[in-house]
Amino acid sequence: MWGELALELIGVERRYQQGAKELVILDGADFTLQRGETVALVAPSGAGKSTLLHTAGLLERPDAGEVLLSGIPCSRLSDDKRTTIRRNEVGFVYQFHHLLPEFSALENIMLPQLVRGLGRAEAEERARQLLDYMKIGPRAEHRPAELSGGEQQRVAIARAVANAPLVLLADEPTGNLDPNTASYVFDAMEALVRHSGLAALIATHNHDLAARMDRRVTLRAGKIVEM
């Protein structure tokens, strides 16, 4: 399982029309990500990191090229099929946790599993396992407002992997945290990747955290290049 190709981008192009001007964000971008691998995406603001993550995660369609998840070409699939693949195979973590405030930490992690069709008992068991793994098991019944920033983000990471996805895409997941908390959250996320064989692409401005990943890439003239 480890080392298998999880995500591949081949000649991906993404353009936006801004008035009379066309903005080229991705221009023939190529990229591969293996299971069990963590890759840091380091680039200036406005370079297209979010566009890359959204395209890789099937939230946006490329204007040209192909996105493959576990070898399956996804760019030309129907919206329903792309939604199913995204729900089952891709986990997203953002700078802001986006937890549902009216639900407990446990319930936030159970919800995506229930949507997928798991029974309540099985979803709760996995949610508790993930909370324990992220070292916040005792906070299971607390709502987001009762959790610290680092705890909220660990719940968000657990929610993102609740359905055992193939790929984890994270957009500045520690950007709102102080350095010590950021390091702790990253350690938990990295351990989860190593343990489960996830493939993780993590956009970050934190060069210390980026240096701890397997590889670092950046965006240059619409291409993804190794640093």
Side-chain angles (χ1 to χ4, degrees):
M1 180 174 67
W2 275 258
E4 292 179 2
L5 200 59
L7 171 68
E8 185 174 11
L9 276 61
I10 303 174
V12 167
E13 298 181 10
R14 196 74 181 94
R15 295 174 165 80
Y16 299 97
Q17 205 68 34
Q18 192 175 62
K21 184 179 179 181
E22 185 180 63
L23 298 178
V24 179
I25 307 300
L26 300 176
D27 188 14
D30 298 311
F31 178 69
T32 59
L33 182 65
Q34 297 179 342
R35 299 196 68 161
E37 180 181 39
T38 58
V39 176
L41 173 59
V42 182
S45 297
K49 297 192 298 296
S50 295
T51 295
L52 171 58
L53 292 173
H54 289 170
T55 304
L58 310 186
L59 288 170
E60 298 183 21
R61 288 184 187 270
D63 296 302
E66 189 57 82
V67 176
L68 298 96
L69 283 166
S70 198
I72 299 173
C74 299
S75 298
R76 292 164 185 80
L77 295 177
S78 68
D79 287 342
D80 286 346
K81 288 182 178 179
R82 284 167 58 87
T83 297
T84 299
I85 291 173
R86 183 173 63 247
R87 184 175 62 226
N88 296 338
E89 303 294 351
V90 183
F92 289 94
V93 182
Y94 297 97
Q95 182 173 353
F96 300 98
H97 56 78
H98 296 301
L99 298 173
L100 297 174
E102 65 271 29
F103 293 103
S104 68
L106 181 71
E107 291 166 336
N108 266 281
I109 301 170
M110 288 175 62
L111 280 170
Q113 301 177 76
L114 296 174
V115 169
R116 188 175 181 177
L118 261 66
R120 186 173 184 85
E122 187 177 356
E124 181 174 345
E125 181 182 5
R126 175 160 173 78
R128 289 193 184 278
Q129 288 174 346
L130 285 167
L131 285 168
D132 287 341
Y133 195 85
M134 300 299 284
K135 299 182 179 179
I136 46 174
R139 311 291 278 168
E141 307 302 332
H142 289 70
R143 294 186 180 184
E146 300 170 311
L147 303 174
S148 70
E151 289 171 338
Q152 290 170 347
Q153 201 63 325
R154 277 181 280 166
V155 174
I157 293 166
R159 181 183 59 182
V161 302
N163 282 333
L166 178 70
V167 174
L168 179 67
L169 302 174
D171 195 354
E172 296 289 348
T174 62
N176 271 346
L177 306 176
D178 65 79
N180 287 337
T181 305
S183 181
Y184 190 88
V185 168
F186 177 79
D187 285 344
M189 183 165 55
E190 184 180 39
L192 196 59
V193 169
R194 305 298 188 200
H195 176 76
S196 62
L198 269 168
L201 177 60
I202 303 168
T204 181
H205 283 110
N206 189 321
H207 289 273
D208 290 334
L209 295 184
R212 292 161 57 182
M213 300 188 215
D214 297 316
R215 290 190 287 135
R216 289 179 295 167
V217 299
T218 190
L219 285 164
R220 191 171 298 149
K223 302 285 195 297
I224 303 168
V225 297
E226 297 279 342
M227 294 179 68

